[in-house]
Amino acid sequence: MKNTDPSPDGPIILWFRKDLRLGDNHALHAAAQAGRDIIPIYIREPSQSGNEPLGAAQAWWLYHSLKSLGYALGRLGSRLVLRSGEPCTILAELIAETGASAVYWNRRYDPNGIAVDVPVRERLGAKGMTVKSFAGQLLHEPSRLKTGSGTPYRVYTPFWRALEASGEPDAPLEAPDALAAPAAWPRGEDLAGWKLLPIKPDWAHTFSELWTPGEAAALERLEAFVEDGLSGYKTNRDLPATDGTSRLSPHLAMGEISPARVWHATRNLKDVPADDMITFRKELVWRDFSYHLLFHNPDLPRENLNRKFDGFAWMGNDSAFERWTKGETGYPIVDAGMRQLWRHGTMHNRVRMIVASFLIKDLLIDWRRGEGWFRDTLVDADPASNAASWQWVAGSGADASPFFRVFNPVLQGEKFDPDGAYVKTFVPELRDLPAKFIHRPFEAPESVLGAAGIVLGTTYPNPLVDHAKARDRALAAYNKIKDAV
Ligand SMILES: Cc1cc2nc3c(=O)[nH]c(=O)nc-3n(C[C@H](O)[C@H](O)[C@H](O)COP(=O)(O)OP(=O)(O)OC[C@H]3O[C@@H](n4cnc5c(N)ncnc54)[C@H](O)[C@@H]3O)c2cc1C
């Protein structure tokens, strides 16, 4: 890329945000091409994740991701400067300390991120600084795709078609070999001092059973998935006991890998059935679609897209909510999902839909409480995908699953986890229950329960609600709002 930067030769501040990677990082690439000293910085902003402060699980991820980025920059002869505070203030300080004349970053598209970036750009510009921003968080800029009538999309399939028709995203850029360091480094903070890791208790100690944050691990994960997981994805992606999905979402959420790189890794694969490849790409594009919705509806995490739902009679049942969060609802597939969330900071997509439906429809608890819980506990918590998905399940969102589609947790379990392998992994107290009853322990005869060492109500909870009755109650509540205008 040709350097058109008018500033002479002051250092470039490279502001890392949700793009904690060196490869396919357009801001970094442009800075390296400019042939000037580069000062990479990460600013711990008062409100991190977009709409709310960074969740606890993602804070764990951020710690490890920043550490990994710091090492990777070190290998290029550079380093990562850490500072906390309002970006405007921090950048002004850094400019004064280093004589920097330009700030580069990759754009973010969540409302809080935009609310920070717009005034930063204006103030720096007013001081004569060169400010350059680049794309790369998404496959396509969320403002670019429009319906035939010039409005944003609200339905996924036409969005997918438009995105597909608009051409491939640019091929990913490789990481630079070296970065020019400034003569003197500005002061930085100590990552440990940010207290991103839980200590007493260290509830995240089990996260590392599954996860290795950082760009290198993201690239390895992508390669392994393309080699071993992509064939068969269409079927396997729905089976929570199978390692059938990419598990790239936390890496994508933190920008350790670009969606364009993921997209391009699925091209020209002779041994992968087209169906599997397209199904996978369509999932990836749900992420873009969620950002498209959030960009055009900044209230998405707080307000029903379908305003009819504003009159919905939610119940404020705290004890039921708490049992849901702990995985003690008495419905094994729901409990397994919620305990997977505790143990690994993630949950299989199929099970996310089941637990969300259970909270919203069986317990009649406002989707926003579930969204908030997920935001705090998911390592892949994402302001767009989380809010859009919760509204999708609630029926209040764009192109949403209709409210009357109430997941039956027993039938869903039997269909997608037929031998109960997923349940047994996360709800070990049911481990000895025969497959016939694994998703309906409350129907098992006493003799079967006894042989499996289960005492309902003691070793495993009785169902929190009777699903059939809860479903009727939910539909009755929905009927009260469905004709509202
Ligand atoms: C209630 C609920 C809340 C969710 N919250 C989040 C969230 O906070 N962050 C998040 O990244 N995903 C969220 N999802 C979407 C989805 O569950 C995860 O993206 C997926 O489980 C991640 O696993 P994977 O990387 O193995 O996905 P894969 O199946 O391998 O898919 C590849 C990538 O596509 C994207 N993707 C897949 N499905 C979706 C989807 N439905 N919506 C948006 N993007 C998708 C992800 O970036 C994912 O990494 C939520 C879904 C539900 C039902």
Side-chain angles (χ1 to χ4, degrees), residues 225 233 237 245-250 252-253 280 283-287 290 347-349 352-353 356 374 378 380-382 385-386 389-390 393:
F225 173 70
Y233 175 79
R237 63 179 287 269
T245 65
S246 71
R247 274 196 270 118
L248 284 168
S249 54
L252 282 162
F280 178 72
E283 290 308 310
L284 193 61
V285 169
W286 269 101
R287 180 173 175 273
S290 302
M347 192 191 302
H348 188 275
N349 179 59
R352 291 188 203 203
M353 293 194 283
F374 268 31
L378 278 172
D380 67 12
D382 180 280
S385 299
N386 198 32
S389 300
W390 274 95
V393 178

Side-chain angles (χ1 to χ4, degrees), residues 90-110:
I90 300 293
L91 290 171
E93 285 171 8
L94 261 189
I95 290 163
E97 290 166 31
T98 63
S101 55
V103 183
Y104 289 10
W105 67 67
N106 292 307
R107 285 190 279 285
R108 46 188 176 181
Y109 304 99
D110 54 278

Side-chain angles (χ1 to χ4, degrees), residues 377-438:
T377 52
L378 278 172
V379 288
D380 67 12
D382 180 280
S385 299
N386 198 32
S389 300
W390 274 95
Q391 293 230 34
W392 185 88
V393 178
S396 60
D399 197 9
S401 170
F403 185 91
F404 53 77
R405 186 175 166 213
V406 181
F407 278 119
N408 179 320
V410 173
L411 299 183
Q412 287 283 313
E414 289 175 344
K415 184 166 177 194
F416 295 107
D417 185 33
D419 57 4
Y422 176 75
V423 162
K424 289 177 186 180
T425 304
F426 296 104
V427 189
E429 62 267 38
L430 298 181
R431 167 176 59 216
D432 295 324
L433 207 53
K436 184 174 172 201
F437 294 109
I438 190 78

Side-chain angles (χ1 to χ4, degrees), residues 214-234:
E215 182 178 15
L219 293 171
E220 266 175 38
R221 183 68 210 143
L222 174 63
E223 198 182 316
F225 173 70
V226 169
E227 255 171 42
D228 300 329
L230 191 51
S231 284
Y233 175 79
K234 191 173 178 197

Side-chain angles (χ1 to χ4, degrees), residues 226-296:
V226 169
E227 255 171 42
D228 300 329
L230 191 51
S231 284
Y233 175 79
K234 191 173 178 197
T235 310
N236 295 338
R237 63 179 287 269
D238 258 329
L239 307 174
T242 306
D243 185 13
T245 65
S246 71
R247 274 196 270 118
L248 284 168
S249 54
H251 299 291
L252 282 162
M254 211 51 96
E256 296 169 351
I257 194 165
S258 72
R261 185 177 295 282
V262 178
W263 178 281
H264 278 273
T266 63
R267 292 178 78 226
N268 304 327
L269 299 170
K270 288 192 203 72
D271 299 334
V272 175
D275 250 14
D276 289 326
M277 188 274 282
I278 290 168
T279 306
F280 178 72
R281 282 187 171 181
K282 282 187 170 169
E283 290 308 310
L284 193 61
V285 169
W286 269 101
R287 180 173 175 273
D288 264 54
F289 182 57
S290 302
Y291 269 98
H292 184 79
L293 291 175
L294 180 64
F295 183 77
H296 293 289

Side-chain angles (χ1 to χ4, degrees), residues 345-359:
T346 190
M347 192 191 302
H348 188 275
N349 179 59
R350 166 62 45 186
V351 189
R352 291 188 203 203
M353 293 194 283
I354 298 169
V355 305
S357 174
F358 190 82
L359 183 81

